[in-house]
Amino acid sequence: MKSFIRQVLEQLQKEDTPISDLVFILPSKRAGAFLLNELSQLTSTTIFAPKIYSIEEFTEEVSGLKSIDNTTTLFEFYEVYQKLTPKEELESFETFLAWAQSLIHDFNEIDRYLIDAEKFFNYLADIQDINHWSKQHRTELIENYLKFWDQLPQYYSVLKENLFEKEQGYQGLIYRSAASKVAVYASKNSNQEYVFLGFNALNSAEQVIFQELLQQNLAKVFWDIDNVFLKDYHHEASLFIREYLKDWPFYKENPFHPGIEEYREAKDISITGIPKNIGQAKYLAELLANKSEAELEKTAIVLGDESLLLPILNSLPPNVKDLNITMGFPLKNAPVTSLFNSLFDLHTKSGSSYYYKNVIAIINHPSLHQILKPYASKFIQKINKENTVYLKYEEIEANFPATLQEFISWCFKSWENSAKKAILHFQNIVFSIKDSLTQEKAGKLQLEFLYHFHKLFNQLQTLNTTYPHINSLTALRNFYNEIMSTQSLDFQGRPFKGLQLMGMLESRALDFENVIITSVNEGTLPSGKSNNSFIPYDLKKSYNLPTYREKDAVYTYHFYRLLQRATKVTLLYNTESGGLNSGEKSRFLTQLEIEKQPNHLLKINTVSPKVPKVNNELKVIGKTPAMIEKLKDLANYGFSPSALTSYIRNPLDFYYQYVLGVKEEEEVEETVAYNTLGTVIHDSLEVFYKPLEGELLKETHILDFRKRIDQEVSTQFYKSYTKSPLLQGKNYLIFEIAKRYLSNFLDLENDRLKKGEAIRIEKIEKNLKSKINISSLDFPVYIRGKVDRVENCNGITRIIDYKTGKVEQSKIEIVDWENITTDYDKYSKSFQVLAYATMMKNEENIPLPLEGGIISFKNLKAGLLKFAKREKPRGGSKDFSINEDTFLAYEDQLEKLITEICNPAIPFTEKEI
């Protein structure tokens, strides 16, 4: 394959003017680098390299203006806006940003297309006026709105004058200026010859420059367009070049002789649909894995969607030794970026205290590990343990030593909404991280990221000094984000060796034998409609400004030009709809199918990742001698009813929690959890009832408890949850629920007393430990637990367990004793009540029969839900008394359960839950 650039150079070599004396103008700097590479291969002798400009550089050369970026243009525009707007109508810089971006984009378009700005903006103002003609009494808002449109010509002209004074310009202004000065420039450089190659869609200013140099016989233009497209008057790929050949006076006198016949040649074109973007990256890796080093040298990956860069880099197969990436690595993807975003999040939220998650995001950031270890992890544990949701600066500072106080102040001391202070602190943080990395001999990449951030904050500092309009952290963040979006780290590589990876625009004027294009979807290739403009569609059409149709034609040209000389083409598209992606393949692919050339071999298929069959086998963990020793220790210490029911529910949970001792990670509980609410209720009732042990309960006690509810619930929440008062949100509701639960419980107690029940409080929150004799085990076994309440009601002892959740009577009844150790959902409540009853019988020698049950705070109307033995699952009589037979049956099942737990031959087998 002979590239377009090589064909042009071979043609120029045959002409009189030496190539060294020519000036080449190309669409991009990258195309210039490829031109030099091709030239070095073509020449057998040493020659001077010709001058090479990108079109942007050439317009700067002709205009004599220095290009400024979009950010500086915004600041310059705000200076103009301040001058021309009365003080009482002046908007803040942040509000100004919302509309100024779009307006500068429109200024650029107007200038690039050499439109008379005053007439154009007056026309635009008249359109807006007509839109509001029906309003008989225009409001102040409408008047101000129309006034804004009337002021646009003035904004534009003053901004233009200011920039000309400084010999600066945004891109459009430089183009306009170059178009007006090109004739003078041409006469001054009449002995120079210019070569334009690889261009397609030219704005009006570029057309003026090209035509002037052509008319003066100082330039040659090489269009890269195939006859297939040029002769098809409906094909968008040739839309612009056809217009130039038809309308430019030069081509009326010097007809263009199309000579490119590449597209009809034999091509292997494969169109593949793949679900998800990540699927494209993985499939791409499979395609590359089969290519030899020689094939990779001739291969280019063109990303329709540039966000695929990182997934593709992470998926490249090992046979890709050399890689040249024309796109930079976006700085916003650097690991340290999230630290600066977290600092902005922390300081842009108003208030005297900081949300704990924002604090943890900073002190736990990997970039600060070297600086803050081990103090950060200890502080995070403290936050989680104390359940602190909001932290003051003084509290944060107190948890770090004096040597780190200054660094902590940069991160957490209020920036007082000052952009200047924020930038200074950012710079200090960057240098501190750099010092910590240097000491640790860290990789160069982290230092490279930090250096770019240092430059970024320097740029912000310079802008803030030159244009003191960034008067808040929000405005600073907006500009930080604006600059961040354009910042990237250049990859180091050998530009002409190995696999080429680029975006669609970087492919201009370049040719490759093997081309792989990703994301060939509607909305990506072509990009479709986007409306970042104040100019209506009709007005754009009447002034020949580009609309989405022209932008689609630009993408059409780039797409087909890549296919022109390629012999093997792979086109990938995403079949899944999601987010902004419709899952619709691009119209380009449909066009390829309909307009298939005879020599093209077109293959269309869809692929999907192999999904291996996963057998969800339940885990089985055999018992080792070490585990048996641990179980013996547990048995000696005492199995709790909750530990035993945990084993019934799922032996694997018991293994993790009680054998391995794996605990749930402690986290800040922003909303009161059910178990915390349960603790508050239990502890409050313990405080109320503990002094009454051995006494009869009286109505005066209930009255006293009722008065103390508010204070006691507050105290218990302070102990169990947080030291901060619960005055708002869900937690306040839960606080009120806790009070209501206690109040309703006391109502129940009062009703019982009024009915004549004699209630004697025997034990409250009593710790129990009882030995269980199991003949098959040669070590002692105990069960232990804390019974919530033991009372004597009318001469019958009752064992009571409190539950803050909802429990029904059916959940504390049993038919078949064998089920009590197998069915957790139905019988776990019965198992626990009987465990407490067994311990009380063994330790306290209470008289039989007795009763046991649950008081459910969500089902208080049912009163005490008593344990019962039923004859049949449905119907039949119930026996509520717990007697010797009950204990014998229960202890038999308990013995079997504990024997199973301690049996070395029976593994811990996971249950399906």
Side-chain angles (χ1 to χ4, degrees):
M1 179 209 76
K2 201 179 279 187
S3 72
F4 170 63
I5 291 173
R6 193 180 187 91
Q7 289 171 5
V8 171
L9 288 173
E10 284 179 355
Q11 191 175 329
L12 291 171
Q13 271 186 328
K14 295 170 188 172
E15 298 184 4
D16 298 334
T17 310
I19 286 180
S20 298
D21 296 343
L22 298 173
V23 176
F24 287 89
I25 294 113
L26 296 106
S28 66
K29 287 182 182 178
R30 179 158 181 75
F34 269 78
L35 186 142
L36 284 177
N37 183 52
E38 291 280 13
L39 186 57
S40 69
Q41 292 172 25
L42 267 177
T43 55
S44 53
T45 57
T46 304
I47 62 166
F48 284 104
K51 257 189 192 172
I52 298 174
Y53 292 109
S54 69
I55 187 65
E56 286 84 6
E57 290 168 339
F58 185 64
T59 51
E60 281 184 51
E61 167 82 10
V62 174
S63 68
L65 298 177
K66 190 184 173 190
S67 176
I68 57 170
D69 60 20
N70 189 48
T71 307
T72 311
T73 310
L74 279 167
F75 278 110
E76 288 287 351
F77 186 23
Y78 192 63
E79 300 261 298
V80 170
Y81 171 73
Q82 280 184 311
K83 262 190 222 170
L84 299 177
T85 310
K87 202 167 186 181
E88 63 276 6
E89 293 174 21
L90 204 63
E91 290 183 353
S92 72
F93 190 51
E94 289 163 57
T95 317
F96 164 83
L97 281 178
W99 53 267
Q101 296 267 25
S102 295
L103 199 55
I104 285 171
H105 174 266
D106 290 339
F107 287 173
N108 253 313
E109 289 282 87
I110 288 161
D111 282 334
R112 278 199 293 255
Y113 285 84
L114 307 178
I115 290 165
D116 183 329
E118 191 169 348
K119 279 184 184 174
F120 182 85
F121 284 125
N122 286 337
Y123 193 171
L124 190 55
D126 289 344
I127 289 171
Q128 298 302 329
D129 203 12
I130 289 166
N131 287 342
H132 296 87
W133 70 273
S134 62
K135 308 283 188 296
Q136 289 179 356
H137 303 289
R138 288 177 174 172
T139 63
E140 189 184 347
L141 185 69
I142 292 173
E143 289 294 346
N144 288 339
Y145 177 73
L146 295 173
K147 191 176 173 184
F148 165 76
W149 294 104
D150 290 335
Q151 285 177 315
L152 289 186
Q154 210 178 353
Y155 288 153
Y156 170 80
S157 60
V158 176
L159 175 63
K160 187 169 136 185
E161 284 164 22
N162 284 5
L163 291 175
F164 277 157
E165 275 176 30
K166 296 177 183 179
E167 295 186 343
Q168 293 177 334
Y170 51 84
Q171 194 193 61
L173 194 57
I174 290 172
Y175 273 87
R176 186 190 279 272
S177 179
S180 65
K181 293 178 181 177
V182 70
V184 177
Y185 180 84
S187 61
K188 282 183 183 175
N189 296 276
S190 55
N191 59 342
Q192 192 66 266
E193 193 173 333
Y194 299 90
V195 177
F196 294 92
L197 64 120
F199 288 91
N200 168 46
L202 303 176
N203 58 49
S204 300
E206 286 169 333
Q207 289 184 52
V208 168
I209 293 166
F210 277 47
Q211 288 189 73
E212 180 64 34
L213 293 173
L214 282 171
Q215 292 288 64
Q216 298 280 355
N217 208 27
L218 297 177
K220 288 186 173 70
V221 180
F222 292 90
W223 305 106
D224 187 9
I225 188 76
D226 197 280
N227 285 339
V228 170
F229 311 125
L230 197 58
K231 291 174 181 176
D232 183 348
Y233 291 97
H234 299 292
H235 206 295
E236 284 190 323
S238 58
L239 174 72
F240 299 103
I241 295 172
R242 271 200 321 271
E243 281 179 11
Y244 308 148
L245 299 179
K246 179 176 145 223
D247 299 340
W248 287 7
F250 177 82
Y251 288 115
K252 286 175 182 171
E253 296 167 18
N254 305 280
F256 176 72
H257 299 291
I260 298 176
E261 289 284 354
E262 305 270 6
Y263 186 68
R264 285 195 179 92
E265 298 297 318
K267 298 183 193 304
D268 185 354
I269 302 173
S270 173
I271 298 171
T272 307
I274 306 156
K276 304 284 182 190
N277 282 338
I278 197 72
Q280 293 184 69
K282 298 297 178 191
Y283 182 68
L284 185 60
E286 285 183 26
L287 293 176
L288 296 174
N290 301 323
K291 292 191 183 294
S292 67
E293 198 170 334
E295 285 179 303
L296 290 170
E297 288 276 337
K298 300 170 185 174
T299 302
I301 300 168
V302 180
L303 304 185
D305 177 1
E306 294 190 7
S307 66
L308 272 180
L309 175 64
L310 286 180
I312 285 172
L313 288 180
N314 286 315
S315 304
L316 288 176
N319 64 313
V320 178
K321 299 284 191 297
D322 292 301
L323 175 68
N324 184 50
I325 304 166
T326 62
M327 295 171 289
F329 179 86
L331 193 60
K332 63 184 178 185
N333 292 332
V336 74
T337 307
S338 57
L339 172 64
F340 300 121
N341 288 337
S342 297
L343 284 162
F344 269 124
D345 288 340
L346 186 91
H347 289 281
T348 48
K349 303 233 168 44
S350 57
S352 58
S353 55
Y354 304 128
Y355 183 46
Y356 81 98
K357 280 188 179 174
N358 290 340
V359 174
I360 289 175
I362 294 165
I363 62 173
N364 202 30
H365 196 278
S367 300
L368 302 186
H369 279 180
Q370 279 307 120
I371 300 171
L372 300 180
K373 68 176 188 184
Y375 308 103
S377 53
K378 286 179 183 172
F379 184 35
I380 292 166
Q381 285 172 6
K382 186 181 175 186
I383 291 169
N384 290 334
K385 191 175 181 182
E386 295 181 359
N387 228 45
T388 315
V389 179
Y390 290 96
L391 296 143
K392 292 189 179 295
Y393 165 65
E394 292 75 20
E395 292 175 69
I396 300 167
E397 187 185 42
N399 285 278
F400 292 90
T403 51
L404 290 173
Q405 298 287 316
E406 189 178 31
F407 183 84
I408 292 299
S409 72
W410 296 334
C411 294
F412 296 107
K413 198 168 185 179
S414 173
W415 291 350
E416 296 163 358
N417 206 25
S418 160
K420 188 177 177 182
K421 197 172 271 192
I423 294 167
L424 183 67
H425 289 338
F426 276 133
Q427 286 285 37
N428 289 335
I429 290 164
V430 166
F431 279 109
S432 295
I433 298 170
K434 172 189 164 280
D435 292 341
S436 73
L437 290 174
T438 310
Q439 289 162 15
E440 287 297 308
K441 295 178 183 171
K444 291 178 183 175
L445 191 59
Q446 293 99 310
L447 290 169
E448 190 69 34
F449 288 141
L450 283 172
Y451 173 66
H452 272 71
F453 273 103
H454 168 62
K455 286 203 308 186
L456 188 149
F457 292 127
N458 267 351
Q459 189 182 349
L460 282 170
Q461 199 164 24
T462 307
L463 285 168
N464 196 35
T465 309
T466 314
Y467 311 96
H469 308 312
I470 306 178
N471 49 19
S472 71
L473 286 178
T474 310
L476 176 67
R477 187 170 197 175
N478 288 338
F479 265 94
Y480 166 81
N481 290 335
E482 173 75 26
I483 297 170
M484 272 287 284
S485 65
T486 61
Q487 293 282 320
S488 62
L489 275 77
D490 292 331
F491 288 95
Q492 290 184 345
R494 298 166 71 182
F496 313 112
K497 186 169 171 60
L499 179 68
Q500 301 288 323
L501 182 54
M502 61 187 71
M504 186 56 92
L505 292 178
E506 280 93 19
S507 71
R508 288 175 295 180
L510 307 182
D511 295 294
F512 303 93
E513 270 188 36
N514 302 324
V515 174
I516 303 169
I517 308 178
T518 67
S519 306
V520 191
N521 284 83
E522 278 299 312
T524 307
L525 281 178
S527 60
K529 296 180 185 179
S530 60
N531 192 25
N532 182 26
S533 172
F534 285 118
I535 306 168
Y537 177 81
D538 293 345
L539 193 56
K540 282 188 174 187
K541 287 295 285 180
S542 58
Y543 274 89
N544 290 321
L545 282 170
T547 64
Y548 66 89
R549 290 177 185 275
E550 283 70 33
K551 285 171 186 171
D552 284 358
V554 171
Y555 276 101
T556 309
Y557 173 80
H558 291 319
F559 177 80
Y560 279 99
R561 207 205 60 74
L562 269 171
L563 271 56
Q564 228 166 244
R565 292 177 186 82
T567 53
K568 185 167 178 57
V569 180
T570 306
L571 306 170
L572 310 179
Y573 69 95
N574 184 1
T575 58
E576 291 289 306
S577 58
L580 298 175
N581 180 43
S582 63
E584 183 185 351
K585 69 180 182 182
S586 170
R587 67 191 81 163
F588 296 161
L589 302 182
T590 310
Q591 197 172 9
L592 278 175
E593 293 173 45
I594 295 168
E595 299 174 358
K596 181 182 168 296
Q597 298 294 313
N599 290 334
H600 290 185
L601 177 63
L602 196 63
K603 289 179 283 190
I604 300 165
N605 63 322
T606 54
V607 297
S608 56
K610 289 177 185 171
V611 182
K613 187 181 177 185
V614 179
N615 295 321
N616 288 327
E617 293 178 1
L618 298 174
K619 289 182 184 173
V620 177
I621 296 169
K623 291 171 186 165
T624 63
M627 285 185 205
I628 298 298
E629 288 304 312
K630 177 67 178 173
L631 289 168
K632 285 179 182 178
D633 292 343
L634 271 173
N636 189 43
Y637 175 74
F639 291 111
S640 65
S642 57
L644 295 170
T645 53
S646 163
Y647 183 87
I648 294 167
R649 183 175 180 270
N650 188 357
L652 216 61
D653 290 345
F654 175 87
Y655 165 70
Y656 289 136
Q657 194 174 345
Y658 297 97
V659 179
L660 293 184
V662 176
K663 294 179 181 175
E664 284 188 16
E665 189 179 351
E666 204 166 12
E667 290 181 348
V668 172
E669 197 181 298
E670 289 185 60
T671 304
V672 178
Y674 285 119
N675 59 342
T676 306
L677 177 63
T679 304
V680 167
I681 299 292
H682 277 71
D683 292 353
S684 299
L685 290 173
E686 182 182 0
V687 170
F688 289 164
Y689 283 87
K690 191 76 175 171
L692 299 184
E693 284 186 343
E695 295 182 24
L696 283 169
L697 183 66
K698 297 174 185 172
E699 286 189 41
T700 51
H701 294 136
I702 304 295
L703 283 170
D704 176 52
F705 298 159
R706 204 180 286 285
K707 289 174 191 170
R708 291 160 53 195
I709 286 176
D710 203 69
Q711 182 58 46
E712 194 52 48
V713 170
S714 298
T715 304
Q716 295 306 331
F717 268 115
Y718 183 89
K719 282 182 187 175
S720 302
Y721 180 63
T722 180
K723 293 175 173 55
S724 310
L726 306 177
L727 299 174
Q728 57 189 21
K730 287 182 181 177
N731 288 343
Y732 178 67
L733 295 176
I734 294 166
F735 175 76
E736 290 297 322
I737 287 167
K739 285 159 54 179
R740 180 68 60 84
Y741 274 177
L742 288 174
S743 177
N744 291 347
F745 176 74
L746 294 176
D747 288 344
L748 176 70
E749 296 280 79
N750 213 27
D751 290 346
R752 289 175 66 195
L753 292 174
K754 284 180 178 174
K755 286 175 185 173
E757 291 184 20
I759 304 168
R760 183 185 182 82
I761 305 299
E762 300 289 353
K763 303 288 177 190
I764 294 292
E765 298 294 337
K766 170 73 174 171
N767 283 309
L768 299 167
K769 184 175 179 180
S770 172
K771 189 170 185 180
I772 304 294
N773 295 313
I774 302 175
S775 56
S776 59
L777 299 177
D778 58 355
F779 50 86
V781 175
Y782 292 89
I783 58 170
R784 66 184 296 125
K786 186 189 271 191
V787 65
D788 292 337
R789 170 167 162 168
V790 181
E791 67 174 40
N792 188 296
C793 179
N794 298 335
I796 297 171
T797 303
R798 285 177 170 175
I799 314 291
I800 297 171
D801 193 22
Y802 298 138
K803 298 287 182 194
T804 43
K806 185 163 186 177
V807 182
E808 300 286 354
Q809 178 63 45
S810 60
K811 295 288 183 184
I812 196 162
E813 295 174 352
I814 189 159
V815 179
D816 190 344
W817 281 107
E818 286 184 5
N819 291 336
I820 200 166
T821 57
T822 56
D823 194 328
Y824 173 86
D825 286 336
K826 283 188 180 176
Y827 303 117
S828 61
K829 306 289 187 297
S830 301
F831 185 94
Q832 287 184 347
V833 168
L834 291 173
Y836 294 128
T838 301
M839 287 186 269
M840 281 298 295
K841 176 181 79 85
N842 293 347
E843 296 303 303
E844 301 291 328
N845 294 318
I846 53 175
L848 299 180
L850 54 86
E851 292 177 346
I854 287 172
I855 288 179
S856 167
F857 282 82
K858 277 193 175 178
N859 190 15
L860 278 173
K861 286 180 182 176
L864 177 67
L865 304 169
K866 294 179 188 177
F867 167 79
K869 173 74 175 73
R870 295 180 72 111
E871 286 182 354
K872 301 173 188 173
R874 296 181 184 279
S877 62
K878 297 180 188 178
D879 182 4
F880 291 104
S881 68
I882 300 173
N883 51 37
E884 198 63 52
D885 291 341
T886 312
F887 283 117
L888 283 170
Y890 174 72
E891 285 171 12
D892 180 48
Q893 295 304 318
L894 182 63
E895 187 178 326
K896 284 179 185 174
L897 179 67
I898 295 173
T899 305
E900 182 184 316
I901 291 171
C902 298
N903 188 341
I906 300 175
F908 291 112
T909 305
E910 186 179 10
K911 276 187 185 176
E912 277 194 66
I913 299 170

